[in-house]
Amino acid sequence: MSSEDDAGGEAPEGSFWEAGNYRRTVKRVDDGYRLCNDLISCFQERAKIEKNYAQQLTEWSRKWRTNVEKGPQYGTLEKAWHAFLTAADKLSEIHLAVRNHLAGEDSDKIKAWQKEAYHKQMIGGFKETKEAEDGFRKAQKPWVKKMKDVETSKKNYHAARKEEKTAHTRETHAKAESSVSQEQLRKLQERVEKCTQEAEKCKDQYEKMLEEVNRYNPRYMEDMEQVFEGCQEAERKRLCFFKEMFLNLHQHLNLSTSESFHALYRDLYQVIMAADNQEDLKWWRNTHGPGMAMKWPQFEEWSLETQRPITKKEKSGKMADDVTLTSILPARDGVVLQTPLQTRQRFSYQEEQNSLFYDSLRAPAHVNGGKEDISEWSDEDTPKKCLDANGHEEDIKVPGVRVRALYDYTGQEADELSFKAGQELMKISEEDEQGWCKGRLLTGQVGLYPANYVEKVGS
């Protein structure tokens, strides 16, 4: 077996200086490449976890947003409940951003560094591994050869001493036996002398080989150190890069340093603290309780008005409170409240727009031959009527009164208006027995609306 094969064999446990033990350092180059792949795989799996968590937050928010909107909770507490779901959506976006950093930016950076640090060869393996292997092999080859000579001389010397010992033993036994002739005894003595001389000769050779290898050791150590330091420098770069990547990953995963993360829970806390049970109870009282308007029965004298056809709403038995249960969309999740400053600002703006407001309300919604188009109104849906001087029925009209919506309202019939809280319209007929008024929007649309959903501007 050649000295190169001895040096390139499987590295045993022991000192780095022993033949072949540099292989552990060479293997570290291949391990570095594999560790880059492991690091990418590790945090890509974490990226999947972040993505799945973000998706679960979004699905949870969507499901419960629908449940809360359709559920019986109302007012500012409903708004606080919605705030949790909004926070979940924002948190989902944050975790998706973390996922994008881990699976995209960070992984690409590791792959780029890996490609630059490790160069694959056409015949397999890496250029850096081969260079380290060749460097150690070249540095160790002369020393391995000398060590082989030392081992050979050591083996020869020990064999000679063993032979000398055997010759001494035979001579001793021969002297103790009377049957051994003098000639045989002399030959045994010569054998002992010859073995002793051979042992001394092997000893000198052994000591000479040891002297040579010890004289070469500093050179051997210097050459091995030089190759080793090259491997150390490459490993130092890998360790520094991994530390840098760990810091980047820590920065992306550490949400405690994210301003958006802190703002998310800060806003959620503020919404929860803004929940006001008194405002919610007040809203319920005015919308579904004693605060609702009621047309109490009063004595009515007979008149032609009492003979008017029964309207569609009266036939269906729809009551004002029934409408509020299905049609109201709470503004800002509760009663529309405005601070004095906001109120002043609103009136200031409206005063500047008064002329435009009244002009738009006076204009007919649809003109057909100079007459207002009321094709959307049926005979049954017309407001209160009375007989004019010629005996014809006509609407009981009132001077146009500006009113403001207190709550959101979505019309349930084709002849009903829809508006938002705070929106202004013109009341153009008095309230009927069922609590309905006729009004006109800024757009010119004319229709019915619940009287208790508005207040007179300036009241």
Side-chain angles (χ1 to χ4, degrees):
M1 182 180 294
S2 66
S3 59
E4 289 85 353
D5 292 336
D6 291 339
E10 184 68 20
E13 293 296 332
S15 173
F16 163 77
W17 303 105
E18 296 179 14
N21 277 6
Y22 64 80
R23 286 295 181 84
R24 289 175 289 191
T25 301
V26 174
K27 182 177 179 295
R28 188 175 61 174
V29 179
D30 295 333
D31 290 343
Y33 182 86
R34 181 177 60 83
L35 287 171
C36 288
N37 290 335
D38 289 346
L39 185 61
I40 294 173
S41 299
C42 175
F43 285 96
Q44 281 184 340
E45 288 186 14
R46 176 60 186 267
K48 291 181 181 178
I49 294 174
E50 296 289 336
K51 180 181 178 181
N52 291 337
Y53 181 51
Q55 290 176 340
Q56 290 175 353
L57 283 173
T58 302
E59 293 172 0
W60 175 79
S61 173
R62 184 185 302 112
K63 169 188 173 183
W64 281 100
R65 191 180 302 280
T66 302
N67 290 349
V68 172
E69 289 174 352
K70 295 182 178 180
Q73 185 58 61
Y74 58 92
T76 59
L77 201 61
E78 181 185 3
K79 184 175 182 180
W81 199 333
H82 276 288
F84 276 97
L85 308 179
T86 302
D89 291 334
K90 294 181 179 179
L91 187 60
S92 174
E93 294 176 0
I94 292 175
H95 281 280
L96 278 179
V98 172
R99 178 263 173 194
N100 293 336
H101 280 303
L102 297 181
E105 175 186 335
D106 294 335
S107 294
D108 292 343
K109 190 172 182 179
I110 297 173
K111 290 177 182 178
W113 185 90
Q114 183 187 42
K115 184 177 181 180
E116 182 179 351
Y118 302 96
H119 302 85
K120 291 184 178 181
Q121 300 184 115
M122 296 294 294
I123 60 176
F126 299 102
K127 175 184 176 183
E128 291 72 22
T129 303
K130 187 176 186 304
E131 289 177 350
E133 175 75 26
D134 292 344
F136 280 121
R137 187 188 295 273
K138 181 179 179 181
Q140 201 171 67
K141 183 177 179 179
W143 184 83
V144 169
K145 186 176 184 304
K146 293 182 182 298
M147 282 299 298
K148 188 174 182 180
D149 293 341
V150 169
E151 289 297 323
T152 300
S153 61
K154 174 184 175 181
K155 182 178 179 180
N156 293 337
Y157 171 65
H158 288 174
R161 285 301 184 187
K162 181 178 180 182
E163 188 67 23
E164 180 188 15
K165 178 65 175 175
T166 301
H168 272 294
T169 301
R170 288 177 180 176
E171 180 189 13
T172 301
H173 289 167
K175 289 180 179 179
E177 294 181 7
S178 57
S179 60
V180 177
S181 64
Q182 290 296 322
E183 181 64 22
Q184 290 176 332
L185 184 60
R186 184 181 62 80
K187 289 181 179 181
L188 289 174
Q189 290 174 347
E190 289 177 355
R191 177 63 180 169
V192 170
E193 291 177 2
K194 184 177 179 181
C195 287
T196 300
Q197 292 175 358
E198 184 66 23
E200 289 298 324
K201 181 179 178 181
C202 289
K203 179 181 179 182
D204 292 341
Q205 183 68 20
Y206 180 31
E207 290 176 345
K208 181 180 178 181
M209 293 296 102
L210 281 176
E211 184 180 353
E212 287 185 9
V213 77
N214 288 331
R215 189 166 54 247
Y216 187 77
N217 278 346
R219 169 72 180 278
Y220 166 63
M221 294 174 68
E222 181 181 354
D223 293 344
M224 291 290 285
E225 280 274 6
Q226 184 176 357
V227 180
F228 181 77
E229 286 303 321
C231 295
Q232 286 288 85
E233 177 61 20
E235 180 67 4
R236 184 192 67 79
K237 292 180 180 179
R238 185 190 71 82
L239 295 175
C240 290
F241 174 74
F242 269 47
K243 180 178 180 180
E244 178 185 350
M245 288 308 307
F246 284 152
L247 289 175
N248 287 344
L249 295 166
H250 171 268
Q251 179 182 1
H252 295 151
L253 291 171
N254 183 17
L255 299 183
S256 64
T257 61
S258 172
E259 176 58 29
S260 58
F261 180 78
H262 288 291
L264 181 157
Y265 285 103
R266 184 169 60 247
D267 294 345
L268 174 59
Y269 176 77
Q270 292 174 353
V271 175
I272 295 173
M273 294 303 297
D276 189 334
N277 62 300
Q278 293 299 325
E279 292 297 332
D280 292 348
L281 294 175
K282 180 180 178 181
W283 177 87
W284 187 270
R285 178 183 183 86
N286 293 334
T287 307
H288 303 293
M292 296 180 67
M294 174 62 182
K295 192 73 172 182
W296 299 106
Q298 297 178 356
F299 176 80
E300 296 182 10
E301 186 64 54
W302 179 90
S303 68
L304 290 176
E305 173 62 23
T306 60
Q307 305 300 311
R308 69 181 180 85
I310 301 176
T311 67
K312 180 173 61 177
K313 292 182 176 58
E314 292 171 332
K315 288 181 179 180
S316 61
K318 182 184 293 185
M319 301 299 292
D321 53 356
D322 292 335
V323 173
T324 60
L325 286 176
T326 59
S327 302
I328 184 167
L329 296 178
R332 302 178 184 85
D333 300 314
V335 178
V336 178
L337 296 177
Q338 297 179 350
T339 63
L341 176 59
Q342 292 171 325
T343 303
R344 288 195 298 273
Q345 292 173 346
R346 179 179 293 274
F347 278 116
S348 175
Y349 172 80
Q350 290 168 347
E351 288 169 359
E352 294 175 0
Q353 301 296 326
N354 272 343
S355 59
L356 178 61
F357 179 87
Y358 281 110
D359 291 342
S360 64
L361 289 181
R362 293 191 185 99
H366 304 284
V367 178
N368 184 8
K371 298 181 179 180
E372 181 177 307
D373 183 2
I374 56 172
S375 59
E376 295 183 357
W377 293 75
S378 66
D379 292 339
E380 294 180 344
D381 294 335
T382 55
K384 295 179 181 179
K385 297 179 180 293
C386 65
L387 295 177
D388 59 12
N390 298 322
H392 301 291
E393 289 185 342
E394 65 176 2
D395 290 346
I396 301 177
K397 298 183 178 180
V398 297
V401 179
R402 289 179 63 189
V403 293
R404 181 187 299 113
L406 294 172
Y407 319 106
D408 292 357
Y409 179 73
T410 301
Q412 301 299 302
E413 301 289 344
D415 60 348
E416 295 179 8
L417 298 177
S418 297
F419 45 76
K420 297 291 185 180
Q423 183 176 344
E424 295 187 2
L425 58 152
M426 184 68 76
K427 174 182 175 183
I428 59 177
S429 73
E430 289 291 353
E431 178 181 351
D432 64 15
E433 293 85 349
Q434 300 298 325
W436 293 84
C437 288
K438 184 178 180 182
R440 178 185 292 134
L441 299 178
L442 279 171
T443 60
Q445 180 184 356
V446 177
L448 299 179
Y449 64 87
N452 63 331
Y453 271 53
V454 302
E455 65 177 356
K456 183 178 180 182
V457 174
S459 61

